[in-house]
Amino acid sequence: MDTRLLNVLCVVAIISLAGCTTQQGPSPSAAYIGGQNGFMVEFQADAPPKEVFDGGRYPFTAVVKIQNDGEFSVTKDKVRVTLTGVKAEEFSVTPNDLTKSPTDDMTAKRKDAAGNVIPSNPFFMEFKNLNHVQPIAGSALEYPLRADVCYNYGTTGTAKLCSRSSILNPAPNGICVINEGKSVSNSGSPVQITSLIETQRAADKVAFTFKVQHVGKGLLYRRGTWCDKSQVVRINEQKVYVKVREPLGVECVGLSGTTPSEGEVTLFEGQNTVTCTVPLARPGDFEFPVVIDLNYDYEDSVSTSFVVKHAE
């Protein structure tokens, strides 16, 4: 074969392989994209600038980029971004000016029918007209700046349970096995169901025990509390609301709630377990789904710093 033709074919092959790699995503048959993130948070470059000046003639803007990197959509009224590290009045704004919510909903990332991941749209929070009017003491003064993003978030975990015609004495080599750990699929989120084990319970009942675990890098709070950490005993921290959506009729132990299938669980050292019993009116040889929803408030933060210089 001609050397030039061989080289062209090699280049085409390399480009084709590279194209396949960049478009590769989760299997179309996979339940979720997965991952351990909720929101991604960062300051935009030079917003705030690395250096600003006092004297009132040099207003500046801080811009916080937030993007939903998980699989739970959040309405705009359930997101709050707060700047800390500077005193509002010192920079010619009010405390309310340092807290904002997005003007659009934060939709989840998703995958199409071919398995390609479609990222969510980012949102840019602008904190404008920050202005150090009063002269500083000395020639320069450094300030920290942190953006705390609190939002309500959720997780859906799914698995399959096993039923046998004889639950307590199943025949060997059946369609499925009751007494074993099950594979769990989680939607992309910072709190997940990391294990689920099914067991026999009675002639017409099976049970499953699942572990709820905080796997993200942020802070976890009870839903609806806006990440409130003002309580001395930290009563809002490490709380997750759990709802066993399927199967119907389950009764769970380990949840503090008003119904047998849903309630709140407190995570200790980032995890806790819940056990549920499933009645089977007509046991047979089949598999059936379990669907568990988790809901909570979550806070992600990012920090930077800037220097105020004295304007001559």
Side-chain angles (χ1 to χ4, degrees), residues 291-307:
V291 181
I292 305 168
D293 294 324
L294 311 177
N295 194 258
Y296 42 89
D297 280 1
Y298 204 75
E299 185 177 75
D300 285 307
S301 301
V302 64
S303 297
T304 187
S305 63
F306 63 96
V307 174

Side-chain angles (χ1 to χ4, degrees), residues 176-199:
C176 56
V177 177
I178 295 177
N179 292 322
E180 67 173 8
K182 306 298 181 179
S183 176
V184 185
S185 296
N186 286 273
S187 59
S189 54
V191 181
Q192 298 190 353
I193 298 165
T194 55
S195 68
L196 189 147
I197 301 173
E198 184 183 12
T199 56

Side-chain angles (χ1 to χ4, degrees), residues 183-261:
S183 176
V184 185
S185 296
N186 286 273
S187 59
S189 54
V191 181
Q192 298 190 353
I193 298 165
T194 55
S195 68
L196 189 147
I197 301 173
E198 184 183 12
T199 56
Q200 301 159 319
R201 181 55 58 94
D204 58 352
K205 295 179 181 179
V206 295
F208 61 95
T209 298
F210 60 94
K211 180 189 293 184
V212 180
Q213 188 169 355
H214 179 199
V215 297
K217 298 179 181 179
L219 300 177
L220 175 65
Y221 296 89
R222 173 183 283 129
R223 65 176 185 171
T225 63
W226 283 114
C227 307
D228 181 13
K229 54 180 75 69
S230 63
Q231 300 290 336
V232 175
V233 292
R234 303 291 181 88
I235 60 174
N236 295 323
E237 296 183 12
Q238 299 296 311
K239 308 289 186 181
V240 178
Y241 194 84
V242 179
K243 179 179 180 179
V244 181
R245 196 195 320 166
E246 295 183 44
L248 300 178
V250 301
E251 295 185 356
C252 300
V253 176
L255 299 176
S256 58
T258 57
T259 67
S261 61

